[in-house]
Amino acid sequence: MNELDLFKADTETFVKELGGPNQAKMADAAGLFIALKLRERSFAMQVITPRQVTRYDLQVSVDHDQLVFIDEKEVPLAPCSAINFKAEPDGSYITTPRYSIPIFEISSDLYAKKEIELLASNQPVTKIIEENTVRDIEEVWDTYFLTYADAAALNATGGSNLVTFSTGAGGALTKGALKALINRIQRNRLKCSTVLMSVLTFTDFLTMTYQDLGSDLLKEVTIEGYKYYNFGGVKLIVSIKDELFLNPAYGIDGTGVNYGTATNPAAHMIYGFADEKALGRFLILDSCKFGVRKIFNTIEFMGWVYGGIGFGNNNGIARVTLFI
């Protein structure tokens, strides 16, 4: 039996089981497959490891009929001081700061397909599910993740961590830009452990010179490309979702004039993150769910998940926009 026959056999079995007593079992199996792909593909989940929570871990918000997660921050302590033998230390009452993370729903469209059309398809049903559901849900997670990261970096201690950098290389990534990004986090006594960028920015390593990389590495990059996912002691996470890394207001000349045109394309952004324990939470309520139902000769399916993202340390995030 060739691969095409296997695909058709898989689809026929899927359709047949939907009409019988195993409908719930088929939906559960698809749900497991979807959840696995979600963990593998989202860059947000690489920055902060998702934590699975249950209803008992959550509270009902006093502002709306939705669930929230109450997270605690590190207890702030006053600085120590030197005193003489006749003095006494100052008194300080300790409080525990907290913040809430709203739980919201991300859902795919409700996809529908005629039974006869599924039987005529040359690809398995699980492939359709993977393409139409996983991709959309993951991109929404990543979009919200960067939106919240921008809001957190804007309110960093000592001023905004949303900065611009003139690369002197036409808006391409340089070592100076990476240094500026890392220093925005490390100025507040945190370690920058991760840099997130789009794949188009990552390919700027190909334009780096002998002064940037040295002779041995430059030769390797010229032949094979930059194949490492760390640089300058930080981990690099590279995403193909390039549109999420374009500055929403500026072109590469540093202004909003003629923004997004051929002469002034949108400027790219790179993000820096501190260690995961100094960032926040990525919460998933129970797990990703997938539902399948058959209404006469039409099969409908959709995926959805409940979760939330929250940053408890604004100083652990920085963003640099790359200008010319």
Side-chain angles (χ1 to χ4, degrees), residues 225-286:
Y226 192 82
K227 59 183 180 180
Y228 305 101
Y229 284 89
N230 55 75
F231 190 84
V234 299
K235 180 177 70 172
L236 302 181
I237 298 177
V238 181
S239 171
I240 63 172
K241 303 182 182 81
D242 182 67
E243 65 278 5
L244 298 184
F245 296 87
L246 299 177
N247 192 291
Y250 295 99
I252 60 171
D253 67 355
T255 71
V257 179
N258 296 323
Y259 161 73
T261 63
T263 57
N264 188 27
H268 277 85
M269 304 176 294
I270 57 175
Y271 288 83
F273 298 94
D275 290 333
E276 185 175 333
K277 63 181 181 181
L279 278 180
R281 304 286 186 186
F282 192 143
L283 307 174
I284 303 292
L285 177 57
D286 295 329

Side-chain angles (χ1 to χ4, degrees), residues 29-188:
L32 292 174
F33 176 79
I34 293 295
L36 176 63
K37 290 296 182 180
L38 278 170
R39 291 193 297 272
E40 288 178 347
R41 295 186 176 183
S42 169
F43 61 70
M45 294 182 180
Q46 297 179 56
V47 178
I48 301 179
T49 304
R51 171 185 171 184
Q52 191 174 60
V53 295
T54 67
R55 169 62 183 87
Y56 301 102
D57 298 314
L58 307 176
Q59 308 290 329
V60 179
S61 172
V62 297
D63 300 319
H64 48 73
D65 292 333
Q66 297 294 328
L67 298 172
V68 297
F69 180 85
I70 306 299
D71 197 17
E72 292 187 354
K73 300 182 183 181
E74 184 179 49
V75 175
L77 300 177
C80 297
S81 58
I83 58 176
N84 60 39
F85 293 105
K86 296 182 179 181
E88 292 185 355
D90 295 332
S92 180
Y93 189 80
I94 299 174
T95 60
T96 302
R98 297 177 176 85
Y99 68 103
S100 65
I101 303 175
I103 302 300
F104 59 94
E105 177 184 355
I106 297 178
S107 172
S108 71
D109 288 345
L110 177 61
Y111 297 107
K113 194 78 169 172
K114 294 289 187 180
E115 178 182 323
I116 189 63
E117 293 175 342
L118 279 177
L119 294 174
S121 176
N122 289 332
Q123 58 181 315
V125 173
T126 51
K127 183 66 175 177
I128 300 174
I129 295 171
E130 187 256 341
E131 289 183 350
N132 293 319
T133 305
V134 176
R135 178 178 57 198
D136 292 341
I137 289 179
E138 287 182 346
E139 186 160 342
V140 174
W141 273 131
D142 290 341
T143 301
Y144 274 95
F145 178 81
L146 292 184
T147 300
Y148 294 160
D150 288 342
L154 179 64
N155 294 283
T157 301
S160 171
N161 271 353
L162 304 178
V163 299
T164 60
F165 186 86
S166 178
T167 66
L173 179 68
T174 63
K175 291 172 65 176
L178 286 171
K179 177 185 176 182
L181 177 70
I182 293 171
N183 284 348
R184 296 302 296 187
I185 294 176
Q186 299 192 158
R187 66 176 181 148
N188 286 312

Side-chain angles (χ1 to χ4, degrees), residues 173-176 178 202-228 230-232 236:
L173 179 68
T174 63
K175 291 172 65 176
L178 286 171
F202 182 71
T203 56
D204 288 339
F205 278 101
L206 295 174
T207 65
M208 290 188 178
T209 64
Y210 169 82
Q211 287 77 16
D212 297 316
L213 302 177
S215 59
D216 292 339
L217 183 55
L218 179 62
K219 178 180 177 181
E220 182 179 335
V221 170
T222 302
I223 298 174
E224 301 181 21
Y226 192 82
K227 59 183 180 180
Y228 305 101
N230 55 75
F231 190 84
L236 302 181

